Amino acid sequence: MSLDMLKDRLPEYARDLKLNLSSLAVEQLLSPQQKAGSFVAAALAANHAPTTQAVVDAFAAELTPEALNAAKIAASLMAMNNIYYRFVHLVHAADYKTLPARLRMTAMAKPGVDKVDFELWSLVVSAINGCGMCLEAHEKVCREAGLSAEQIQAAVRIAATVHAVARTLAAEEALAPQFAAAA
């Protein structure tokens, strides 16, 4: 499925999402790899098969096999880390903050792309998953590596839009049988 087909599936009330998806697809603040990886990582995190397929179809060609794999690593490891570190952050018992995570995440050390790109994609997924601790950590590394606030914002705008597209389409799919049965 293409990005245009994905946009066509969005209902009229989600016109803003269509427009945002179009403008972000041609975003120039990020490198082509950063932008494509942000889209792919966001789609994987959004957990909606048609959205993921359309985004991967649209952006995988801009990624090397290693970069595509790194975006998958970011989505996979952040799915785990965001839950764990959100727990550590939100529970007020201080002892959790001093305990080692004891979760394997060795793929983060050598994801197959520049560290800043992987950190950006990890930030994208963390934004979708809502882990404040992870957002702070990945944003800091991205800034230290030279990314501007505008570049980081562009990646988070991609995350927000892809997530909204996925949730909107999932809601429409969930409601379709209900409305068909009521008619």
Side-chain angles (χ1 to χ4, degrees):
M1 176 189 310
S2 72
L3 218 49
D4 285 333
M5 290 172 63
L6 185 69
K7 288 186 293 188
D8 289 344
R9 290 183 64 188
L10 286 165
E12 184 53 36
Y13 69 79
R15 185 174 188 274
D16 290 331
L17 298 181
K18 293 178 189 186
L19 295 172
N20 290 336
L21 200 55
S22 293
S23 66
L24 288 166
V26 296
E27 176 67 63
Q28 297 295 311
L29 288 169
L30 301 170
S31 73
Q33 176 170 286
Q34 289 169 338
K35 178 176 65 177
S38 293
F39 266 98
V40 170
L44 291 167
N47 195 26
H48 179 251
T51 301
T52 301
Q53 192 60 58
V55 167
V56 170
D57 288 351
F59 291 99
E62 297 187 40
L63 296 171
T64 64
E66 294 81 14
L68 179 59
N69 192 57
K72 291 176 182 179
I73 291 169
S76 176
L77 287 180
M78 290 306 106
M80 174 183 68
N81 287 355
N82 292 158
I83 297 299
Y84 178 79
Y85 287 107
R86 188 170 57 217
F87 164 80
V88 169
H89 177 74
L90 293 175
V91 172
H92 295 289
D95 49 349
Y96 293 117
K97 292 169 181 38
T98 62
L99 293 172
R102 295 180 55 197
L103 294 170
R104 288 195 51 112
M105 49 189 108
T106 55
M108 291 176 74
K110 293 183 181 181
V113 294
D114 288 340
K115 181 176 177 65
V116 67
D117 290 358
F118 184 76
E119 290 290 333
L120 186 67
W121 302 339
S122 296
L123 179 117
V124 162
V125 176
S126 297
I128 290 171
N129 292 336
C131 179
M133 236 174 126
C134 294
L135 282 167
E136 289 284 336
H138 296 296
E139 190 273 347
K140 180 181 179 194
V141 173
C142 287
R143 293 293 287 263
E144 288 172 352
L147 290 183
S148 68
E150 292 80 10
Q151 288 172 304
I152 293 168
Q153 181 197 39
V156 175
R157 288 172 46 232
I158 290 169
T161 301
V162 170
H163 182 261
V165 167
R167 295 300 82 209
T168 300
L169 290 175
E172 287 295 311
E173 292 164 5
L175 293 173
Q178 175 186 358
F179 288 126

